[in-house]
Amino acid sequence: MTSINKVMLRTQNPLFIAVRYRGKINIQRPRKPHFERQLLIDVSKPVYGPPKHLLPDYVLCDRGEKRKKIQIDNPFEHILARECLNWFNTSKMIVFLHVNSISMEYKTPIFAALVKNNMHLRTYGKKIVSMATKGTRYEAVNQLFTSHQNIIFGQPENAGKLIKILKKTPQLVIMAGIIQDRLMSKNEFVEFSQMPSLEAARSQLCAVLDSAGTSLVGQLNLCQQTLVSYLDKHVELQNTPKKEETKS
């Protein structure tokens, strides 16, 4: 045997295969499981109650009582509501956003850009906002909330920068905004962002008032200047014949 093994190569795979069932498995009449398996099947078998159509009416009647969920007074929600109301009161520009699917990889640069321009992005749920704005002048914004909502708090002078930042992220869509206690739609907010700043508007107003004053002064002095020019011309015409006589 040893000489045969040395001459012939050994096969890596065995030449026989173990078969559990020699014949075909009877699916219609399977074999009964053994005692331990049958015990496990009986223990894990779910127990269902009788169907509703077989129950009498008095069992199905709830006597008009509505089951209400027990609301738990969470102190942390009150803290978040006070924080949210503080943001509403201290910010003169509030922008409500509709957020599509966006990963944190694309959302982190937005956070950085907003904080760099003195704007803050916060996420609050409908319950927190309703607790914060109940009985205040901001109670109408509850209609914009369905679940969690993203809100940007800032100042009106940064509206143009906010539009530039959100142009790079189409996942964040402006729904509405509040500018100095005035609720604006998206188009009105975009128009407000395109307006010049308060300092530029003041300089333009001063330039208009200055031009109006200079034009008024010029119009008032126009008659006097024309009269003086006419008199100078008249004097010049009267002096020309005397000069000719002296030359002759």
Side-chain angles (χ1 to χ4, degrees):
M1 188 68 181
T2 54
S3 60
I4 293 173
N5 292 334
K6 291 180 180 179
V7 174
M8 299 181 66
L9 296 175
R10 294 183 180 181
T11 58
Q12 296 180 358
N13 297 327
L15 298 176
F16 58 89
I17 300 174
V19 179
R20 185 174 180 182
Y21 299 102
R22 294 182 181 178
K24 294 182 180 181
I25 301 173
N26 192 351
I27 301 175
Q28 296 180 354
R29 292 182 179 181
R31 291 180 60 184
K32 292 183 180 181
H34 54 82
F35 177 76
E36 295 180 356
R37 185 175 181 181
Q38 183 64 42
L39 181 62
L40 180 62
I41 292 173
D42 294 339
V43 170
S44 61
K45 186 177 181 180
V47 179
Y48 299 101
K52 289 186 177 181
H53 67 275
L54 298 178
L55 295 175
D57 294 337
Y58 66 87
V59 177
L60 300 175
C61 181
D62 58 352
R63 295 177 299 177
E65 297 176 355
K66 295 182 179 180
R67 298 179 181 179
K68 295 182 179 179
K69 295 182 180 179
I70 300 174
Q71 295 184 359
I72 302 173
D73 189 11
N74 193 347
F76 185 63
E77 291 180 351
H78 292 281
I79 295 173
L80 293 177
R82 286 196 296 269
E83 179 189 1
C84 180
L85 182 60
N86 185 31
W87 279 112
F88 271 94
N89 291 329
T90 56
S91 302
K92 294 183 180 180
M93 182 185 71
I94 306 169
V95 182
F96 303 96
L97 301 177
H98 170 72
V99 183
N100 294 321
S101 179
I102 182 173
S103 62
M104 204 63 190
E105 181 182 359
Y106 295 100
K107 204 171 182 180
T108 303
I110 303 171
F111 277 107
L114 292 174
V115 172
K116 186 177 180 181
N117 292 286
N118 196 17
M119 290 179 285
H120 305 277
L121 179 62
R122 295 289 183 269
T123 304
Y124 293 107
K126 183 177 181 179
K127 185 178 180 181
I128 301 298
V129 176
S130 62
M131 291 172 59
T133 59
K134 186 176 181 180
T136 62
R137 55 187 174 180
Y138 304 108
E139 192 170 1
V141 301
N142 290 324
Q143 304 297 329
L144 299 173
F145 285 77
T146 54
S147 58
H148 284 77
Q149 199 81 17
N150 287 11
I151 311 174
I152 296 177
F153 299 96
Q155 300 302 324
E157 55 269 15
N158 297 325
K161 298 178 181 178
L162 175 62
I163 296 296
K164 292 181 180 179
I165 294 172
L166 295 182
K167 279 183 178 179
K168 301 177 182 178
T169 54
Q171 295 89 348
L172 302 178
V173 183
I174 298 176
M175 294 194 304
I178 299 176
I179 302 294
Q180 295 179 350
D181 300 335
R182 180 186 173 186
L183 184 63
M184 296 183 177
S185 63
K186 178 184 177 181
N187 296 332
E188 292 176 347
F189 184 81
V190 173
E191 290 178 1
F192 178 83
S193 64
Q194 295 174 354
M195 294 175 62
S197 61
L198 184 60
E199 290 76 11
R202 286 175 178 173
S203 63
Q204 291 177 3
L205 178 61
C206 292
V208 171
L209 295 176
D210 190 16
S211 63
T214 53
S215 64
L216 179 61
V217 171
Q219 290 176 3
L220 292 175
N221 294 332
L222 181 61
C223 297
Q224 298 176 2
Q225 292 176 357
T226 53
L227 179 60
V228 169
S229 62
Y230 289 159
L231 292 175
D232 292 339
K233 191 69 175 178
H234 181 68
V235 172
E236 184 180 356
L237 292 173
Q238 287 183 349
N239 293 332
T240 48
K242 293 182 179 179
K243 290 180 180 179
E244 292 177 356
E245 291 177 357
T246 52
K247 287 181 182 180
S248 60

